[in-house]
Amino acid sequence: MNLTEHFTLAELTHTDHREFDNVPNETELENLKRLAAFLEEVKVVLGGRPIMVNSAFRSKQVNDAVGSKDSSQHRIGCAVDIRVPQLTPDQVVRAIIASDLPYDQVIREFDRWTHLSIPNTPEAKPRKQALIIDRSGTRLFA
């Protein structure tokens, strides 16, 4: 099922932990639709480059299996980890920051991928947090 022109439900719910159910409920599906629409805007900002989704929606079981916190926006379908061929995570973060996209968080994670999130509800104001997470911990993106 296509959520938008370039992003499918299967892509945004894929997990290597196939032993666990990773099917979103109605609210989570609506969030995934908003997330897919946001990714379409990101794609434009990045010059139409392909966006490779590492992880988006995670059921509680999947989220626990990957060692993430229950408060993760992945749990509600509002976050995605991406890679963009021919761009470093730093370049992706800088492009998002420079845009006027309504991102909630943009995070360079372990210099291997970029975490993007949207506000948890359609009416919430984006926090526009830019961070780095790596072995040294969490800090502001500079």
Side-chain angles (χ1 to χ4, degrees), residues 52-108:
M52 314 299 287
V53 174
N54 293 348
S55 178
F57 173 73
R58 297 182 195 143
S59 68
K60 170 129 178 74
Q61 288 179 309
V62 170
N63 201 58
D64 290 349
V66 300
S68 189
K69 298 176 185 175
D70 279 339
S71 60
S72 169
Q73 288 178 287
H74 287 277
R75 283 282 296 112
I76 59 172
C78 289
V80 61
D81 296 334
I82 64 169
R83 290 173 292 112
V84 180
Q86 300 174 357
L87 291 180
T88 67
D90 261 359
Q91 290 171 312
V92 173
V93 170
R94 289 183 196 289
I96 300 300
I97 291 170
S99 75
D100 60 357
L101 292 180
Y103 67 92
D104 197 53
Q105 290 185 316
V106 59
I107 306 172
R108 185 190 80 200

Side-chain angles (χ1 to χ4, degrees), residues 13 15 18 20 23 31 42 46 48 50 59 62 66 71 80-81 83 91 106 109 112 120 139-140:
T13 58
T15 178
R18 293 185 191 114
F20 300 127
V23 177
N31 287 339
V42 169
L46 299 177
S59 68
V62 170
V66 300
S71 60
V80 61
D81 296 334
R83 290 173 292 112
Q91 290 171 312
V106 59
E109 292 196 42
R112 295 186 55 218
N120 291 352
R139 60 194 178 280
L140 293 175

Side-chain angles (χ1 to χ4, degrees), residues 13-32:
T13 58
H14 171 78
T15 178
D16 289 338
H17 295 279
R18 293 185 191 114
E19 68 274 22
F20 300 127
D21 177 35
N22 202 45
V23 177
N25 65 31
E26 192 173 313
T27 301
E28 294 159 347
L29 179 58
E30 289 306 310
N31 287 339
L32 285 171

